[in-house]
Amino acid sequence: MKKQKKKQWTLKKVLHQLHLYLGLVTGLVVFIMAVTGCGWVFQEEITGLYDDYKTVIPADKPMITVTQATEIAKTVFADKHIHGTLFGAADEAIEVIFYQPEPEFYQSVFLNPYDGEVLHVKDHFSGFFHWMIDGHVNLWLPNEIGSQITAYSTLIFLFILISGLVLWWPKKRKNLHQRLQFDWKSTTSWKRKNWDLHAITGFYTLSLALLLGFTGCIMAFNWMYYLTYKAAGGQKNPAFVIPANEPSAQLVNSSTTLPIDQLIPKLKSEYPEALSFELHTPDTDTTSIYVEISYEEGVYYNSDYRFYDQYTLKEIPSNSIYGVYENASFSDKVIRMNYDIHVGAIGGLLGKIIAFLASLIVASLPLSGFLIWWGRKFKK
């Protein structure tokens, strides 16, 4: 019996050392990621306060076509690749999105949907919120370096959380009360208060911190993305795949309007409840047009991804998890919800507030943990 107790104590001591030193190594990274994560949570709500250029006065005439919108936007960025064109409500500007990875470029041109006037040009790689997300993902370092540091630090953080729970768990049930609530008196030392802040707040936010860390790892590691999908019972291709056109495609019978320019009016008629349609022009003659149809403000998981033959406009089914949401399986939804869970948007405004507070507490854990170590090492 004594030998068994000694083995348990030794294991706990090893976990304590790993918890301590891994926390010291990754503490600054976790702190930066948590603080910048707090700043990113409400970026849509905050930017919505000063993006008046997105609103126009509706006119009693048809909107310009996709082809017209892209041609006008090309006068602003002639040599850049157009990623997609976003059509919203009657009082919303058309957004033509330019994106290319090499050399990296990400800007949008906003147009009046009725006369094509250029209303605004937005650089997505500038401003406060880009600075925040760059710190969250890359620590403001080059992507190939910073993204690796944040990814593996998040993975280590998951282990720190689990080991912290083992260390927190009291040996005797009668001591559980002490681990669950603050019992401070005027004589309670600051070291004790700091330990309570680290242990008690850490326990109460453990499940949320694990959720934030795990969803972050799914975005950071392809192998975790794939394993999570398969573990949830996924059977489809978890990658985003744009299907090819029908082999025997024939041009839609129209003497004046290109097939791609007929698609947005067609979709608006078929899906009147949709908030926006993001149409992506095919890169080659053989690939289909894909359209992302959004139904809810602030979330992405329940959007429909529909694919159309660029010559006939016949809808082409997708064999990947990115298709029509109502046809998605449980495993498909798990992956598609990942980002919205990570930022709390899955729960609306309340979910974002919870994510914000959880991230704020997570940011405090490396600080209180460092002070515990400092107080023990330098007792004076």
Side-chain angles (χ1 to χ4, degrees):
M1 187 71 179
K2 291 182 178 179
K3 186 176 180 181
Q4 184 180 5
K5 286 186 177 180
K6 185 176 180 180
K7 184 178 180 181
Q8 290 175 345
W9 177 86
T10 303
L11 177 61
K12 206 163 188 177
K13 186 175 181 180
V14 170
L15 282 177
H16 180 270
Q17 295 299 308
L18 288 172
H19 184 88
L20 169 63
Y21 290 110
L22 289 176
L24 290 173
V25 170
T26 63
L28 180 60
V29 177
V30 171
F31 173 79
I32 292 173
M33 293 180 69
V35 170
T36 52
C38 286
W40 180 259
V41 167
F42 295 108
Q43 62 91 17
E44 289 187 0
E45 287 78 5
I46 295 173
T47 55
L49 299 175
Y50 55 83
D51 59 359
D52 296 341
Y53 55 85
K54 291 184 178 180
T55 304
V56 301
I57 299 174
D60 188 19
K61 61 179 181 179
M63 291 185 178
I64 60 175
T65 65
V66 173
T67 301
Q68 290 171 329
T70 55
E71 287 176 351
I72 295 169
K74 277 285 188 180
T75 63
V76 181
F77 300 115
D79 59 342
K80 302 301 181 182
H81 177 262
I82 293 179
H83 171 71
T85 307
L86 183 67
F87 289 79
D91 62 346
E92 292 180 344
I94 293 174
E95 180 183 2
V96 182
I97 305 162
F98 290 80
Y99 176 77
Q100 58 190 47
E102 292 295 337
E104 197 170 34
F105 186 87
Y106 186 20
Q107 296 202 38
S108 289
V109 176
F110 291 87
L111 307 173
N112 186 301
Y114 303 103
D115 59 17
E117 177 190 0
V118 177
L119 302 175
H120 185 76
V121 177
K122 179 179 179 180
D123 183 358
H124 296 280
F125 286 154
S126 67
F128 173 75
F129 286 107
H130 171 69
W131 184 79
M132 293 294 280
I133 197 66
D134 188 39
H136 187 74
V137 177
N138 299 318
L139 303 175
W140 304 291
L141 297 171
N143 177 261
E144 60 273 12
I145 299 173
S147 63
Q148 294 299 304
I149 296 174
T150 56
Y152 285 100
S153 294
T154 305
L155 197 60
I156 293 171
F157 178 64
L158 293 178
F159 172 80
I160 293 173
L161 289 172
I162 296 170
S163 63
L165 177 62
V166 176
L167 296 172
W168 171 90
W169 203 268
K171 292 181 180 179
K172 299 180 180 179
R173 181 173 293 183
K174 66 179 182 179
N175 295 330
L176 185 61
H177 172 79
Q178 185 183 10
R179 300 290 177 95
L180 291 175
Q181 67 180 42
F182 299 100
D183 188 18
W184 294 347
K185 303 174 182 177
S186 58
T187 56
T188 305
S189 67
W190 75 266
K191 286 186 179 181
R192 178 65 200 190
K193 290 179 180 178
N194 182 67
W195 192 92
D196 284 349
L197 285 172
H198 186 77
I200 296 174
T201 59
F203 172 76
Y204 282 117
T205 58
L206 176 66
S207 58
L208 291 173
L210 284 170
L211 186 64
L212 292 173
F214 183 71
T215 52
C217 283
I218 289 176
M219 290 185 281
F221 297 104
N222 287 332
W223 59 267
M224 186 169 284
Y225 174 94
Y226 181 81
L227 285 177
T228 302
Y229 178 66
K230 292 301 180 183
Q235 300 294 325
K236 298 179 183 177
N237 183 352
F240 185 83
V241 179
I242 302 175
N245 292 322
E246 294 276 328
S248 59
Q250 295 180 354
L251 188 66
V252 171
N253 185 20
S254 175
S255 58
T256 58
T257 308
L258 293 172
I260 195 170
D261 292 334
Q262 300 175 39
L263 191 52
I264 292 298
K266 176 178 181 293
L267 293 175
K268 284 189 173 185
S269 174
E270 293 178 357
Y271 308 102
E273 71 280 12
L275 295 181
S276 65
F277 303 86
E278 185 175 329
L279 186 148
H280 300 259
T281 305
D283 291 329
T284 68
D285 294 337
T286 59
T287 54
S288 59
I289 305 167
Y290 90 83
V291 185
E292 184 178 348
I293 306 175
S294 299
Y295 300 94
E296 188 176 350
E297 197 73 45
V299 295
Y300 300 94
Y301 74 94
N302 59 356
S303 297
D304 284 344
Y305 295 84
R306 294 181 179 272
F307 303 87
Y308 298 90
D309 188 289
Q310 63 174 286
Y311 301 107
T312 66
L313 297 186
K314 179 181 178 182
E315 186 167 0
I316 302 171
S318 170
N319 64 348
S320 80
I321 65 173
Y322 296 98
V324 178
Y325 182 73
E326 67 177 12
N327 298 334
S329 65
F330 169 77
S331 52
D332 298 350
K333 292 177 180 178
V334 166
I335 294 298
R336 290 178 60 160
M337 288 181 176
N338 188 72
Y339 173 79
D340 293 314
I341 292 173
H342 187 70
V343 299
I346 196 77
L349 182 60
L350 178 61
K352 289 190 174 186
I353 292 173
I354 292 172
F356 175 86
L357 294 175
S359 296
L360 202 59
I361 294 174
V362 166
S364 75
L365 295 178
L367 296 178
S368 56
F370 175 80
L371 290 175
I372 291 172
W373 169 79
W374 184 269
R376 289 175 178 174
K377 188 173 180 62
F378 305 99
K379 295 183 179 180
K380 291 184 181 180

